[in-house]
Amino acid sequence: MIETIINKSDVGSFYKCLKEEFTVYGVKEKEEGFYVFDETDEFADPLDDYKPTILPPKKYLFPQQETLLRFETQPQPVIQPVIESKKQILFGVRPCDIHGINLLDRIFSSDHEDLNYTRKRAETVIIGMNCLRPCYEHAHCASVGCLDVDDGYDIMMTDIGSSFHLSIKTPMGQEIFDRYANLVEVSNEDRDKFRKLIKERIDKFEMKFATDVSNLPLLFKNADNDPVWDELNDRCLGCGRCNIVCPTCYCFDVFDCMELNMTSGERCREWDACTLKDFAVVATGENFRSTRGQRQRHRFNRKFNYLMTKYNTSFCVGCGRCVRSCPVNIDIVETVNAVIKNNKAEVK
Ligand code: SF4
Ligand code: SF4
């Protein structure tokens, strides 16, 4: 890990230079208080304060809709895989979203490698932006162990006042920094300031769960009949928004689009959501999770039990997007704490 400094006044030119070689996606304010990752011409400076973007940056690695292959049925059947990628930089990514991408890396590269994802990921440079205080009331990143991030980024920026401290993590991070910016020796003063800010920030982040996150798989395993699912059954609208905005949800549906000639077409995928009514319908017509309460129970078990047991890490990274997006204010922290309260005998 190499440490360097960039003056705030030089970030704009660094950003512009990156655009010579990469498509650069930065953060911009779409409307008051709502931010998006988008291809921006210039470095805007909401980075210090921006709340989690409406959609997470995973959309550049796993797009909402994507063509997987093109096919023709006549005169001979022909199938042509479509795998698109380009050199891109995600600029200003928060630690929670880097954790989200790290989880998707594991999902899409284990068992059956998903080339549509891994090729994009291989060409993506991530420049992170450390959080020194909670970005908004729904953030619970510290509660799920996602405030600090050790890997998954190339460069991490930390605001230390008139400049950013940069931790350069990878050879790619080093290469682009060497090419586009001037390495400035980190003074002892800068280094001390950086260390102090990182050390002191932890007290600003509340631990919002009533138990350590590592206890959650056991609690959820024994909570199949918890009354909280009945309550969510009554409240949830089954709209799917909580899944769609989540940086770790990765379910997708696959469908074919035929041309009018009915001999050629495309096979596409698009994001799906386990909270939608038809998600668990099978070919014979049965629906294994026909009620909204069952679907919520499944959603929470995916975050804190099934995948957490398999990968030994929480599949909620604490961004709070699902809470902000829910039209009936279903709050993931409240639900987790209700499960903890009702099942606490399970935890020694
Ligand atoms: S479950 Fe909610 S808070 Fe957790 S990562 Fe997904 S959107 Fe963020
Ligand atoms: S956003 Fe809220 S109402 Fe919609 S499916 Fe998710 S929990 Fe239910």
Side-chain angles (χ1 to χ4, degrees):
M1 175 95 74
I2 293 170
E3 292 177 90
T4 185
I5 291 288
I6 188 168
N7 288 325
K8 284 190 172 169
S9 54
D10 293 335
V11 178
S13 57
F14 175 49
Y15 192 88
K16 270 207 169 117
C17 289
L18 295 175
K19 288 171 68 69
E20 290 169 11
E21 194 186 345
F22 297 87
T23 304
V24 183
Y25 298 107
V27 176
K28 70 177 188 192
E29 195 167 19
K30 188 170 186 223
E31 51 188 81
E32 201 183 336
F34 288 90
Y35 297 88
V36 290
F37 273 97
D38 204 353
E39 194 174 348
T40 49
D41 288 336
E42 293 191 350
F43 169 72
D45 193 13
L47 287 175
D48 191 27
D49 287 326
Y50 88 87
K51 298 179 176 62
T53 48
I54 297 171
L55 290 178
K58 76 170 183 187
K59 65 183 180 176
Y60 297 116
L61 301 165
F62 171 45
Q64 271 170 287
Q65 290 174 326
E66 185 171 29
T67 300
L68 301 177
L69 56 89
R70 297 200 174 88
F71 58 83
E72 289 172 18
T73 56
Q74 289 174 6
Q76 297 293 327
V78 179
I79 295 174
Q80 187 66 43
V82 178
I83 299 174
E84 290 171 347
S85 65
K86 64 184 176 200
K87 292 171 78 168
Q88 57 185 3
I89 292 182
L90 309 182
F91 198 102
V93 184
R94 295 286 195 200
C96 60
D97 282 335
I98 296 174
H99 275 285
I101 291 170
N102 287 345
L103 294 176
L104 296 186
D105 288 351
R106 294 174 75 177
I107 293 292
F108 285 120
S109 60
S110 57
D111 301 335
H112 302 284
E113 184 181 355
D114 185 307
L115 290 175
N116 291 77
Y117 178 92
T118 54
R119 292 266 176 89
K120 287 184 189 57
R121 183 68 182 92
E123 292 210 78
T124 302
V125 175
I126 294 181
I127 301 182
M129 173 62 68
N130 249 329
C131 298
L132 296 175
R133 57 187 162 274
C135 52
Y136 68 158
E137 68 275 24
H138 304 308
H140 54 280
C141 45
S143 314
V144 287
C146 292
L147 175 56
D148 290 307
V149 62
D150 294 332
D151 53 19
Y153 61 88
D154 297 279
I155 299 175
M156 179 63 80
M157 302 172 72
T158 307
D159 187 345
I160 59 166
S162 59
S163 55
F164 288 108
H165 173 279
L166 269 52
S167 306
I168 300 179
K169 179 82 176 173
T170 63
M172 177 50 104
Q174 184 70 59
E175 195 185 319
I176 63 166
F177 194 80
D178 288 349
R179 210 173 320 153
Y180 298 119
N182 296 322
L183 192 72
V184 176
E185 199 75 31
V186 189
S187 66
N188 285 339
E189 194 189 334
D190 290 333
R191 194 174 281 122
D192 290 348
K193 205 190 280 183
F194 167 70
R195 304 261 188 280
K196 190 165 179 283
L197 285 167
I198 293 295
K199 191 165 173 236
E200 288 177 353
R201 70 178 174 165
I202 190 67
D203 295 331
K204 298 179 184 155
F205 289 83
E206 206 186 326
M207 300 306 274
K208 295 187 175 178
F209 290 166
T211 187
D212 190 89
V213 69
S214 62
N215 292 320
L216 295 182
L218 180 61
L219 284 161
F220 276 85
K221 199 172 161 198
N222 290 290
D224 275 1
N225 298 315
D226 196 288
V228 76
W229 312 126
D230 296 330
E231 194 224 323
L232 292 187
N233 189 60
D234 293 340
R235 284 176 65 198
C236 173
L237 306 176
C239 67
R241 284 166 75 162
C242 49
N243 293 125
I244 294 303
V245 299
C246 179
T248 72
C249 279
Y250 59 88
C251 288
F252 57 85
D253 200 4
V254 176
F255 56 92
D256 290 347
C257 295
M258 296 297 292
E259 299 289 345
L260 285 177
N261 61 16
M262 296 305 280
T263 62
S264 60
E266 293 185 342
R267 176 157 295 179
C268 305
R269 70 174 168 192
E270 68 180 13
W271 293 352
D272 204 349
C274 62
T275 49
L276 294 177
K277 189 177 173 197
D278 292 342
F279 184 85
V281 172
V282 293
T284 50
E286 281 98 345
N287 189 341
F288 286 99
R289 290 188 288 275
S290 60
T291 71
R292 293 184 295 273
Q294 289 168 346
R295 297 197 291 276
Q296 281 297 332
R297 183 176 66 193
H298 177 76
R299 173 186 163 227
F300 276 85
N301 270 286
R302 294 285 287 180
K303 301 297 173 203
F304 301 114
N305 180 12
Y306 310 145
L307 292 169
M308 197 168 163
T309 301
K310 182 171 179 187
Y311 292 99
N312 199 26
T313 182
S314 166
F315 263 67
C316 168
V317 296
C319 69
R321 286 182 175 95
C322 55
V323 190
R324 180 179 62 190
S325 306
C326 179
V328 291
N329 303 318
I330 290 173
D331 187 318
I332 193 164
V333 172
E334 284 174 14
T335 305
V336 168
N337 281 336
V339 170
I340 294 169
K341 187 170 167 228
N342 297 341
N343 299 274
K344 60 179 177 244
E346 305 297 337
V347 179
K348 302 285 175 272

